[in-house]
Amino acid sequence: MLPAPSGAAPPATRLPRALVVRDPEPEELRATIDWSDWYLDDADGIGAWGEHDEISRLLLSSIAQLARERGWTDHHAGSDRFFAWVREEPLVRVSPDVYLLDHRPAPPLPKQWQTWLPGHRPPRFALEIVASDWQKAYEDVPLKYCQLGCPELAIFDPQAAGQRPAAGRVVLQAYRRDPDGAYVRVHAGAGPVWSAALDSWLCVVGGGAEARLRLARPGGKGELVPTQEEAAATEARAREAAEARVRELEARVRELERQGHG
């Protein structure tokens, strides 16, 4: 299981507009509901547009590096896997672009997580990347993740990172379930925003088509958590520098020995 977040959250900031999402009341769940607007077919929402995969890949790789640094041994991070929560309506589901589970599941991974089954739990953290029909995404996505039971949701709208986004569009939103059970929008704007689930900052790097979502370390210094590839390249450079230093010292020793025998 992942360790509990450190609790080193940043000071509260004034929100442009705080939104609260609530779970359905028991009588509402028992009522006849037309869920069809929320049906998600197998091909829906997977790899929806050009930069989608790159955004997901970078964040997933940074989460993997963060897990390595912090010694997380029982977790699973993934993408584009269905999560369903209504037993009678298995097509009522979401497919997070990035998600983090507290426990590493035994292989093989299920095609669909079904939270009414033993061992099938909602993700601790989920990211949704807005691709099209942004107004519907802004309205429906928090409702879905609230009902799924996901403690923390980030909504990244890279197309709002341009110079003139449509009125009402924001680059980064974050929802978090508070102790009273309400699903509260705790951030709507450019970022960065604190992720309690990841114990790190979520920040937007770049703009326009090159906007990406990255992790930054706690402490407020803005140091990005590297991707696995970036960390490997840094380690390789450090190793090469150390090996060059060793070769230089060995050459000096040989030169001193030669002079001593001269």
Side-chain angles (χ1 to χ4, degrees):
M1 183 174 179
L2 296 175
S6 68
T13 56
R14 179 176 298 176
L15 299 176
R17 182 179 174 214
L19 298 181
V20 177
V21 179
R22 66 173 179 84
D23 288 319
E25 298 294 342
E27 59 271 17
E28 292 176 313
L29 288 175
R30 289 193 296 269
T32 300
I33 300 173
D34 181 4
W35 292 98
S36 59
D37 280 350
W38 280 10
Y39 285 178
L40 193 62
D41 294 329
D42 286 353
D44 287 345
I46 306 296
W49 56 288
E51 283 73 34
H52 176 281
D53 289 344
E54 177 66 6
I55 293 168
S56 298
R57 186 194 68 79
L58 284 174
L59 187 61
L60 266 177
S61 189
S62 294
I63 291 174
Q65 178 62 24
L66 190 71
R68 175 189 173 199
E69 294 176 1
R70 294 181 176 177
W72 295 349
T73 57
D74 188 13
H75 77 287
H76 170 70
S79 64
D80 291 336
R81 187 74 57 166
F82 290 116
F83 286 80
W85 66 93
V86 183
R87 182 193 295 266
E88 297 77 14
E89 297 282 354
L91 289 181
V92 176
R93 53 192 181 173
V94 291
S95 177
D97 295 298
V98 174
Y99 65 86
L100 178 66
L101 291 172
D102 276 329
H103 299 284
R104 184 186 301 276
L109 291 176
K111 180 180 179 181
Q112 172 168 287
W113 298 96
Q114 300 173 105
T115 59
W116 58 88
L117 296 179
H120 286 226
R121 299 181 180 87
R124 171 180 184 149
F125 167 85
L127 168 71
E128 281 278 353
I129 302 170
V130 178
S132 61
D133 198 351
W134 65 271
Q135 291 171 311
K136 191 174 191 304
Y138 281 27
E139 179 180 342
D140 285 356
V141 166
L143 290 169
K144 294 177 180 180
Y145 281 89
C146 175
Q147 292 190 26
L148 173 64
C150 177
E152 186 174 270
L153 166 69
I155 302 174
F156 179 45
D157 186 355
Q159 296 179 64
Q163 293 183 349
R164 294 181 179 178
R169 274 186 108 153
V170 292
V171 179
L172 187 58
Q173 299 177 67
Y175 283 82
R176 193 173 301 135
R177 193 175 293 278
D178 71 10
D180 295 329
Y183 215 49
V184 181
R185 188 172 74 173
V186 296
H187 177 83
V193 61
W194 179 254
S195 168
L198 298 172
D199 205 18
S200 303
W201 295 92
L202 288 166
C203 56
V204 178
V205 176
E210 297 182 351
R212 300 292 184 265
L213 192 62
R214 297 291 300 265
L215 296 181
R217 302 188 187 283
K221 296 182 180 179
E223 179 188 358
L224 294 181
V225 176
T227 64
Q228 289 180 300
E229 296 81 5
E230 290 167 345
T234 298
E235 291 169 3
R237 289 193 296 269
R239 184 167 57 252
E240 290 169 0
E243 291 170 352
R245 179 62 175 161
V246 168
R247 290 194 295 271
E248 178 185 346
L249 292 174
E250 289 174 342
R252 279 193 189 178
V253 169
R254 287 195 297 271
E255 177 63 20
L256 290 173
E257 289 176 343
R258 187 188 66 76
Q259 292 176 1
H261 291 293

